[in-house]
Amino acid sequence: MRYVPLMQNIMITGASRGIGLEFVRQYNADGWRIFACCRTPGQASELNDIAARSDGRVTVHQLDVDQGSSVAALKAEIGDQPFDVLLNNAGIMGQRNAARGGIDYDAWRGCLVTNAMGPMRVAEAFADNVAASTQKKLITISSRMGSIGETSATNSIVYRSSKAAVNMVMKILANDLGPQGVIAICVHPGWVRTDMGGSSADISPEESAGGIRNVIAGLTAADNGGFRNYDGGVIQW
Ligand SMILES: NC(=O)c1ccc[n+]([C@@H]2O[C@H](COP(=O)([O-])OP(=O)(O)OC[C@H]3O[C@@H](n4cnc5c(N)ncnc54)[C@H](OP(=O)(O)O)[C@@H]3O)[C@@H](O)[C@H]2O)c1
């Protein structure tokens, strides 16, 4: 009898650059089927190069998580395709170092739309795809900067509040979807050398994505509703 291995699959948002692109590289190297989503596929040259060399295992899909119409169009394209892992990675800083006296409220609104509502829009559209899969993992790249328990900061109100909000969103989804066997967690990727993290950040995208992939691979039902560091440590809400 011929043994045909089951191909694991993943949907990744914000796959055009940074940590999202690195996830695509690493899961591709491991032979996963990848639905790589980005705002402007025509400009995602590195992602398109990976897809072109993947024998169809990596496909690139347009997705702007701010836009309900974009999420709905992707859902219509994807249909009932199960996703072992749904990785909400897309995110923005909004306003760097926003503090009392200098808040840009339009930037704050935009940051909440992308970082808090975006993952919810995506999860709402694709929760059934995750629940129908073998692994049933819903992963959201949040940030330690969204931890209320750890915060003594007086700045970055815009970004911190957007990540605190998405933490609550995902905790609620963990409660909601846990009975269907879904494991939903938030993950802090470390301070990573990307466009967002800057060149003096602590770790490379390779180390961050590699650590998070280990966390994802090791998840069990008992981990549902957690907030984890890229190295596996638990982070306070
Ligand atoms: N880097 C760090 O130190 C750090 C620390 C903590 C948490 N994080 C989180 O990690 C995640 C990835 O960050 P990164 O460092 O890789 O950032 P990055 O290099 O700035 O990349 C951000 C990615 O998100 C995409 N994106 C932004 N808005 C989007 C939207 N509305 N719809 C779809 N995609 C959108 C971008 O797409 P375009 O190319 O189209 O702009 C890009 O692919 C984010 O959620 C971030 O908050 C990062």
Side-chain angles (χ1 to χ4, degrees), residues 17-180:
R17 56 195 169 92
I19 305 168
L21 181 62
E22 182 58 27
F23 277 122
V24 173
R25 286 197 189 97
Q26 294 191 16
Y27 279 111
N28 180 44
D30 266 4
W32 284 52
R33 167 76 175 98
I34 303 168
F35 297 82
C37 304
C38 64
R39 277 196 285 205
T40 321
Q43 292 173 14
S45 52
E46 289 180 79
L47 179 59
N48 287 322
D49 284 350
I50 295 170
R53 287 183 272 106
S54 72
D55 291 327
R57 272 188 309 100
V58 181
T59 49
V60 179
H61 306 266
Q62 198 281 332
L63 180 66
D64 183 337
V65 303
D66 292 1
Q67 306 293 332
S69 57
S70 174
V71 177
L74 183 60
K75 173 65 183 177
E77 180 190 338
I78 295 290
D80 295 333
Q81 164 71 51
F83 290 139
D84 285 305
V85 182
L86 170 50
L87 185 47
N88 273 314
N89 164 78
I92 58 172
M93 179 57 69
Q95 181 190 6
R96 225 166 260 279
N97 295 321
R100 183 168 60 88
I103 302 294
D104 178 338
Y105 285 88
D106 289 332
W108 195 355
R109 185 179 297 111
C111 196
L112 290 168
V113 167
T114 303
N115 291 2
M117 294 185 198
M120 181 66 206
R121 279 189 203 283
V122 172
E124 198 170 23
F126 295 102
D128 291 346
N129 303 69
V130 176
S133 74
T134 304
Q135 298 188 31
K136 306 186 198 326
K137 294 170 180 171
L138 171 58
I139 313 299
T140 298
I141 306 302
S142 178
S143 171
R144 183 161 237 151
M145 290 176 74
S147 166
I148 292 174
E150 291 193 2
T151 296
S152 56
T154 58
N155 66 358
S156 300
I157 290 173
V158 165
Y159 183 72
R160 288 179 190 281
S161 64
S162 74
K163 292 299 192 180
V166 80
N167 286 352
M168 178 59 87
V169 166
M170 289 301 149
K171 186 76 182 183
I172 290 168
L173 287 181
N175 296 340
D176 180 10
L177 298 170
Q180 294 180 54

